[in-house]
Amino acid sequence: METPKKVRERKSEPPSATPDVPYCESPSKVIKSDQTGVFIPGNHEAEMCYGGEADLHKHVTDCTKNPGHKGFTPLKDFNIKYLPSRFHDDLVSEIIKTLAALTVQVKTKFTSLERPEFYPGTQFPYPCYKDRGSRVMRLGTGRVRCLYKSTESDGTCRCAKCQVSATPSKVWWVVCVLTATHVVFDDSEARQTMCVLGYDDNKSPGVSLDGWEVGGKARIKRDWCWLRHSTCDLKLVDELDKMIRRFDELCWEVWKTYRMFDDVDKLTVIVSHPHGCPKQVSVGQWTHKLERDVTRTRYWYTTCTCPGTSGAPVYRLGYDRVWCDRPHSGANSEGNYSGEYVTTPN
């Protein structure tokens, strides 16, 4: 994917939509945030690989959603110059880098027989219903949100290494990854899923975590899923624990510092693996929302997305504090949209 050659700074208004800036749409298209109505599901943005991973290069070059992918910046090239000038400080830089460190590629190699034909109460087709029972590869994105140590009643470690070991580890941790329900629907899919940490460029293959189960029932309407992984890698656990704690601290600090600017910029950042590529950062604005109640709000934004972005963390700088999580869900006639508010894993 190409990196914009230069970025236009601004003081109050976002830059106009040109190939040289990371915004995907003109701010003239921003809709008032008090819009209400009925949500109409659009296209999901999981990447479907019917020919296996060999399809991915073709998907990148033939992409019709975002030809040229100029709204994406490889993580290794991203810096605060891609943000409005008021956000050019170390605090903002650190939170985006920490969010990126917790972002994972999600690979699923099975489609559940339990997927519904339609979204509940509608005639809108539910993603991947026709692929039920198949081993078509599906790619998305997620974010490590929390981890906890297993108990004796949980048995031994369920990681791939321990599954074939005569002496599996009795000390292990559960790593919870937030993604979209249409990416990983239930336990049958979770057991055929791996999340890849640290796939930042083509020279960094990353570290794989093996899926185990999902937390609770499928949240089809809200479109978020807690995917549980197991690991007995103490070094990895320590690193993740530090990053999770630091991200939560930064969310609070950024909110206190930039909440006064939130209605000016509506800055929305997404870190994802579009088309299964190495980690990319995209920047835009949230435009409007659909609020069912205080805990059920879905947002639309101009931030660039593509197939493979489903489940990616959607971070609204100056708004989101701890536990204000929404994964990317899809795109319809109103723009790119998120899932609804996420509660703690159960």
Side-chain angles (χ1 to χ4, degrees), residues 260-333:
M260 67 185 72
F261 299 132
D262 54 13
D263 287 329
V264 175
D265 295 283
K266 294 184 170 63
L267 192 68
T268 304
V269 178
I270 296 178
V271 183
S272 69
H273 289 276
H275 302 293
C277 291
K279 210 167 288 179
Q280 309 279 322
V281 182
S282 51
V283 178
Q285 297 171 296
W286 71 267
T287 59
H288 61 287
K289 62 184 177 181
L290 177 59
E291 192 171 59
R292 302 178 193 274
D293 57 50
V294 70
T295 65
R296 298 189 64 184
T297 306
R298 189 183 302 271
Y299 286 85
W300 278 259
Y301 31 82
T302 65
T303 315
C304 288
T305 63
C306 265
T309 305
S310 279
V314 178
Y315 177 61
R316 299 175 306 130
L317 195 147
Y319 288 87
D320 291 336
R321 290 174 283 179
V322 176
W323 283 116
C324 292
D325 289 300
R326 290 172 180 83
H328 175 64
S329 185
N332 62 14
S333 60

Side-chain angles (χ1 to χ4, degrees), residues 114-332:
E114 301 301 317
R115 285 196 175 227
E117 185 174 3
F118 303 105
Y119 283 91
T122 78
Q123 291 299 305
F124 295 108
Y126 190 71
C128 305
Y129 172 77
K130 293 181 179 180
D131 296 316
R132 291 176 307 157
S134 76
R135 296 193 173 275
V136 174
M137 178 178 287
R138 186 169 55 257
L139 296 175
T141 304
R143 174 165 82 90
V144 176
R145 188 57 190 87
C146 61
L147 53 83
Y148 59 89
K149 192 174 183 179
S150 67
T151 63
E152 289 186 10
S153 61
D154 292 327
T156 57
C157 183
R158 293 170 169 82
C159 74
K161 181 180 70 174
C162 286
Q163 290 297 300
V164 296
S165 173
T167 57
S169 179
K170 295 181 180 180
V171 179
W172 54 285
W173 287 260
V174 177
V175 180
C176 295
V177 171
L178 175 64
T179 188
T181 297
H182 72 264
V183 175
V184 183
F185 186 79
D186 60 14
D187 290 352
S188 68
E189 294 185 4
R191 289 190 289 269
Q192 298 294 320
T193 298
M194 70 168 56
C195 287
V196 183
L197 286 156
Y199 180 31
D200 296 346
D201 56 52
N202 288 320
K203 296 180 181 180
S204 306
V207 177
S208 297
L209 292 173
D210 300 293
W212 163 32
E213 65 178 7
V214 298
K217 63 181 180 179
R219 282 84 171 183
I220 298 173
K221 291 184 177 180
R222 296 193 175 197
D223 202 23
W224 55 263
C225 163
W226 284 115
L227 179 59
R228 290 173 174 163
H229 299 262
S230 55
T231 183
C232 51
D233 185 336
L234 180 58
K235 181 179 179 180
L236 177 62
V237 168
D238 286 342
E239 291 175 354
L240 289 176
D241 183 59
K242 290 176 183 177
M243 285 191 289
I244 292 168
R245 292 175 185 275
R246 183 56 182 154
F247 183 77
D248 288 347
E249 292 171 354
L250 288 166
C251 278
W252 179 250
E253 292 176 24
V254 170
W255 177 79
K256 288 190 297 182
T257 303
Y258 288 103
R259 58 182 173 171
M260 67 185 72
F261 299 132
D262 54 13
D263 287 329
V264 175
D265 295 283
K266 294 184 170 63
L267 192 68
T268 304
V269 178
I270 296 178
V271 183
S272 69
H273 289 276
H275 302 293
C277 291
K279 210 167 288 179
Q280 309 279 322
V281 182
S282 51
V283 178
Q285 297 171 296
W286 71 267
T287 59
H288 61 287
K289 62 184 177 181
L290 177 59
E291 192 171 59
R292 302 178 193 274
D293 57 50
V294 70
T295 65
R296 298 189 64 184
T297 306
R298 189 183 302 271
Y299 286 85
W300 278 259
Y301 31 82
T302 65
T303 315
C304 288
T305 63
C306 265
T309 305
S310 279
V314 178
Y315 177 61
R316 299 175 306 130
L317 195 147
Y319 288 87
D320 291 336
R321 290 174 283 179
V322 176
W323 283 116
C324 292
D325 289 300
R326 290 172 180 83
H328 175 64
S329 185
N332 62 14

Side-chain angles (χ1 to χ4, degrees), residues 87-108:
F87 299 106
H88 288 189
D89 70 41
D90 293 341
L91 182 63
V92 175
S93 176
E94 185 181 0
I95 195 169
I96 293 175
K97 289 179 180 179
T98 306
L99 176 64
L102 293 168
T103 299
V104 301
Q105 182 191 56
V106 180
K107 291 184 178 181
T108 304

